[in-house]
């Protein structure tokens, strides 16, 4: 059980190291100052939490993820993350089965509600997560399954 | 039939032309204008060459009826001509692997100008585009009838049983040349047009008739 | 030069709902062109929103955000006539800022 | 031990199972509703309006004097009356072939060159934006194609015959998919284009932003991809068959409210 997790943790460290040296191609391209390359390259939730220096998240009824039960097209899937809780630092949108698990990350200020909607790409049917990163370091999530159907004609 | 039928289509055009003469006011010869318009509007692209615009007698007659049913005698003549093209499997075996059949049924690719090859191996069966088949695939079309429980409803417990022979023969012929049973059927003539080979047709037969196939669960 | 964004901001009750459409390819870097060559990643990485000149939200995006991105968020307060500005920066360093008036 | 996210996920997935009883069609309808607000076609409308007014091309002129059928420069309401006959070109033209004429005569572009340009490239990309703008100027208006001119009647008749023209390796015609109500391919509803399929359906829903390709498609591109899937050879851009089909579908759709540029899967 632990082997896989350790390995992932190790590869995350390597990625972070390469990142620090500017050796990952995507990182080399990173232009925006604070863009967290390691987080956006994380292949799974464990890797992502490590890249963010966060603890494993716990499910919470106070966090809501919105999305359709079925997406007619994986190229555009409307999703949203919100919470009723105060003291939120960031809201994250994750697609479990995408090549990179993190889709978007929103920094919350006192001037905005912790409620963000966007549209993501999904390569296949997957769980979608909304994660609230709290000021006290807690990570709270909600998840739902979104099915992606085949388009017509297949060609 | 595809190649020899162009003459038949021309003959048909003559008949239609004569019928037109009986009308009081001569209406414009739209059929001739249509032929000219089709010729000048399209060009070949990749494997989709302009000779694809040529119609055989069945397609010409079903097109000219612009959606109205054909007179019964004409429909029967077309059906007979198409039935005559059906080739039964060379080794007498009809049933392949339903798992391969399911893959073909899911696959809607083939024969467009963006496809590289027109070999049968590049073509899917396109089945789910128009038909429901196995219960687990919720993304199915409704242009054709549902084929869920196709074999079961028809009482096929063993496709090799002589009792199942009429259904087996009919199903093969329908897949091979759908116009054999419905002159202006919307379904492609997979065997007749050379879109699927014998082995692929057998896999689709298994999908429809094998009691173990998800279609019959 | 990137095409302009479409920003709609509407005040209702105690909040202002902001909806933004951005013109961007959001290329993942995982696709190949017709000749089989990989198409390089090209996507918006950072989005910033300002309300009357004060930054109220920043976001970081990955290439999984859909092409021609849509974003909706709510600003606390706000009234008709307020200015909402949205900016993005992509991984090539291209930038775009557009402004709208709250209605 | 930290709580395992995976275990939680499995548990809640099991609990969520009954929700999946909702029909697939309901799910798709819900998905489409979610996308309604914020159609990226708006981005193309804005770009198109800019292009319409901008002096461009060898003659450095705008398109503001372009006659789309209601007089030079009149854009509002023009779209729902196209295709129609134009005396200056002596041809029935759809929106895109008419834009080509204006780009050639007013701006000095070579219309043949643009017609040969692949979709989405060069001036073709600009035409996508222009059709978004022009069609948006008729949003909410009813399709009302003129049929007074002999050439307009002829194009309708030819379009009807082209619509039912079966050929190619699959024996398909437009009618194979679009001549009956309530049919679909996979999950995609197919409008019956032999009659008025209703407000904002079928002919009255194009041009549209295509979610699958992330592009704005005019009717030319819509028809081009239909012919591809029909396994036909390649229809020339602005060729007579495409205009005839538009005339047929547009006349059939008389009275249908245009929602173009719409949003499509």
């Amino acid at each position: 059980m632990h082997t896989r997790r350790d390995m992932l943790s190790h590869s995350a460290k390597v990625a972070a190291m390469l990142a620090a040296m500017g050796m990952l191609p995507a990182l080399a391209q990173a232009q925006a100052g604070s863009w967290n390359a390691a987080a956006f390259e994380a292949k799974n939730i464990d890797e992502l939490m490590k890249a963010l220096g966060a603890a494993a998240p716990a499910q919470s009824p106070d966090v809501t993820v919105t999305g359709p039960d079925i997406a007619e097209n994986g190229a555009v899937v409307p999703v949203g993350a919100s919470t009723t809780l105060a003291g939120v630092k960031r809201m994250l949108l994750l697609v479990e089965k995408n090549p990179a698990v993190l889709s978007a990350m929103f920094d919350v200020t006192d001037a905005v509600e912790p409620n963000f909607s966007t549209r993501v790409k999904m390569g296949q049917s997957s769980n979608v997560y909304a994660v609230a990163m709290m000021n006290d370091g807690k990570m709270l999530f909600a998840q739902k399954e979104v099915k992606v159907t085949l388009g017509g004609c297949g060609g | 039939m595809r190649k020899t039928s162009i003459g038949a289509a021309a003959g048909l055009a003559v008949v239609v032309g004569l019928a037109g003469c009986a009308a009081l006011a001569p209406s414009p010869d739209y059929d001739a204008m249509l032929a000219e318009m089709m010729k000048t509007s399209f060009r070949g692209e990749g494997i989709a060459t302009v000779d694809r615009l040529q119609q055989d007698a069945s397609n010409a007659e079903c097109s000219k009826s612009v959606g109205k049913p054909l007179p019964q005698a004409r429909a029967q003549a077309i059906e007979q001509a198409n039935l005559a093209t059906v080739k039964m499997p060379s080794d007498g075996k009809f049933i392949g692997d339903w798992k391969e059949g399911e893959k073909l049924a899911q696959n809607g690719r083939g024969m467009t100008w963006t496809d590289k090859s027109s070999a049968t191996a590049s073509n899917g069966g396109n089945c789910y585009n128009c038909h429901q088949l196995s219960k687990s695939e919720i993304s199915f079309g409704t242009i054709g009838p549902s084929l869920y429980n196709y074999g079961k409803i028809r009482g096929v417990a063993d496709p090799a049983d002589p009792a199942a022979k009429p259904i087996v023969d009919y199903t093969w012929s329908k897949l091979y040349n759908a116009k054999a049973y419905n002159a202006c059927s919307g379904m492609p003539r997979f065997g007749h047009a050379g879109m699927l080979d014998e082995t692929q047709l057998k896999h689709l037969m298994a999908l429809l008739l094998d009691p173990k196939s998800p279609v019959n669960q | 030069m990137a095409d302009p964004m479409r920003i709609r901001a509407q005040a209702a009750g105690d909040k202002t709902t902001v909806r933004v459409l951005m013109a961007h390819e959001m290329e993942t870097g995982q696709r190949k062109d017709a000749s089989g060559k990989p198409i390089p990643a090209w996507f918006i990485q950072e989005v910033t929103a300002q309300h009357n000149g004060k930054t109220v939200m920043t976001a970081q995006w990955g290439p999984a955000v859909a092409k021609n991105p849509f974003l909706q968020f709510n600003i606390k307060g706000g009234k008709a006539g307020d200015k909402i500005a949205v900016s993005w920066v992509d991984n090539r360093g291209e930038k775009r800022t557009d402004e709208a008036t709250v209605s | 031990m930290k709580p395992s996210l995976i275990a939680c996920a499995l548990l809640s997935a099991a609990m969520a199972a009954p929700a999946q009883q909702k029909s697939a069609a309901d799910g798709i309808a819900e998905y489409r509703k979610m996308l309604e607000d914020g159609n990226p076609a708006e981005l193309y409308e804005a770009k198109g309006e800019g292009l319409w007014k901008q002096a461009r091309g060898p003659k450095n002129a705008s398109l503001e004097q372009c006659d789309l059928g209601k007089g030079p420069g009149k854009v509002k309401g023009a779209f729902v009356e196209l295709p129609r006959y134009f005396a200056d070109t002596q041809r029935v033209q759809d929106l895109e072939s008419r834009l080509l004429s204006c780009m050639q005569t007013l701006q000095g572009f070579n219309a043949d060159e643009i017609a040969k340009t692949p979709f989405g490239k060069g001036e073709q990309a600009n035409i996508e934006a222009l059709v978004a703008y022009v069609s948006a100027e008729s949003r909410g208006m009813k399709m009302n194609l003129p049929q007074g001119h002999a050439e307009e009647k002829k194009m309708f008749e030819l379009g009807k015959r082209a619509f039912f023209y079966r050929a190619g390796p699959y024996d398909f015609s437009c009618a194979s998919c679009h001549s009956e109500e309530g049919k679909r391919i996979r999950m995609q509803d197919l409008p019956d284009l032999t009659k008025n399929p209703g407000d904002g359906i079928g002919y009255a829903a194009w041009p549209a932003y295509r979610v699958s390709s992330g592009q704005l498609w005019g009717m030319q591109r819509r028809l081009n991809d239909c012919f591809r899937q029909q396994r036909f050879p390649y229809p020339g851009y602005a060729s007579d068959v495409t205009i005839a089909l538009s005339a047929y579908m547009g006349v059939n759709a008389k009275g249908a409210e245009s929602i173009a540029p719409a949003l499509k899967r």
Side-chain angles (χ1 to χ4, degrees), chain A residues 70-129:
Chain A
I70 302 179
E72 196 174 11
N73 200 301
V76 179
V77 183
V79 291
S82 62
T83 177
T84 52
L85 298 171
V88 188
K89 192 175 166 198
R90 271 179 174 171
M91 295 296 292
L92 280 62
L93 275 165
L94 279 49
V95 179
E96 188 175 28
K97 288 192 182 161
N98 271 0
V101 73
L102 178 62
S103 299
M105 192 151 65
F106 301 89
D107 288 341
V108 181
T109 67
D110 290 342
V112 291
E113 293 180 355
N115 180 356
F116 305 93
S117 300
T118 184
R119 295 166 183 170
V120 297
K121 302 177 194 122
M122 289 178 63
Q124 56 182 310
S125 298
S126 168
N127 283 321
V128 175
Y129 296 88

Side-chain angles (χ1 to χ4, degrees), chain D residues 140-166:
Chain D
M141 300 172 81
K142 292 182 189 313
M143 298 308 307
N144 186 24
L145 274 62
Q147 281 281 282
H149 196 281
E151 285 296 312
E152 290 166 347
K153 284 199 195 81
K154 181 181 120 183
M155 281 309 245
F156 171 84
E157 288 297 331
L158 292 179
K160 179 179 179 178
R161 283 158 178 79
F163 190 87
F164 286 95
Y165 192 93
R166 296 171 168 233

Side-chain angles (χ1 to χ4, degrees), chain B residues 111-180:
Chain B
M111 300 308 289
T112 72
W113 68 64
T114 47
D115 289 299
K116 294 280 175 284
S117 162
S118 54
T120 51
S122 316
N123 298 340
N126 290 270
C127 312
Y128 280 104
N129 280 340
C130 299
H131 298 282
Q132 181 182 31
L133 287 123
S134 70
K135 202 77 178 171
S136 60
E137 179 52 85
I138 57 164
S139 179
F140 59 85
T142 59
I143 296 174
S146 170
L147 301 174
Y148 177 62
N149 276 348
Y150 179 89
K152 198 173 175 182
I153 287 167
R154 288 161 181 80
V156 179
D158 173 11
D161 187 327
K165 181 76 177 147
I167 298 295
V168 170
D169 282 0
Y170 164 78
T171 307
W172 178 271
S173 305
K174 181 80 187 177
L175 287 170
Y176 195 94
N177 188 335
K179 274 73 174 176

Side-chain angles (χ1 to χ4, degrees), chain D residues 162-255:
Chain D
F163 190 87
F164 286 95
Y165 192 93
R166 296 171 168 233
Y170 286 4
D171 304 334
F172 285 164
S173 66
C174 307
S176 304
C177 291
H178 293 290
S179 61
E180 266 188 276
E181 265 182 271
K183 300 288 181 187
R184 41 174 236 243
I185 285 184
R186 289 277 187 171
M187 295 304 282
Q188 271 72 56
D189 295 321
L190 299 164
D192 178 356
L193 302 173
T194 65
K195 58 191 198 62
N196 177 357
D199 290 345
I201 302 174
Y203 191 77
W206 294 91
Y209 181 80
R210 281 276 296 212
V211 163
S212 48
S213 59
Q215 290 159 326
L216 196 289
W217 283 19
M219 184 47 79
Q220 283 290 331
R221 187 154 191 191
R222 171 63 280 182
L223 288 173
N224 182 279
D225 201 57
C226 277
F227 277 125
R228 186 181 70 85
Q229 307 259 23
Q230 215 173 301
R231 276 75 180 179
F232 268 45
Y234 197 97
Y237 185 86
S239 60
D240 279 345
V241 74
T242 60
I243 295 168
L245 283 169
S246 277
Y248 174 66
M249 295 185 292
V251 170
N252 289 343
K254 188 179 174 75

Side-chain angles (χ1 to χ4, degrees), chain C residues 7 9 16 18 49-54 56 75 78-86 98-102:
Chain C
I7 305 169
T16 298
V18 182
Q50 291 189 325
H51 177 208
N52 290 336
K54 179 185 152 227
V56 291
I75 293 173
K79 58 182 187 310
D82 285 2
K83 297 278 183 233
I84 303 291
V86 179
D98 289 276
E99 202 178 65
T101 307
V102 176

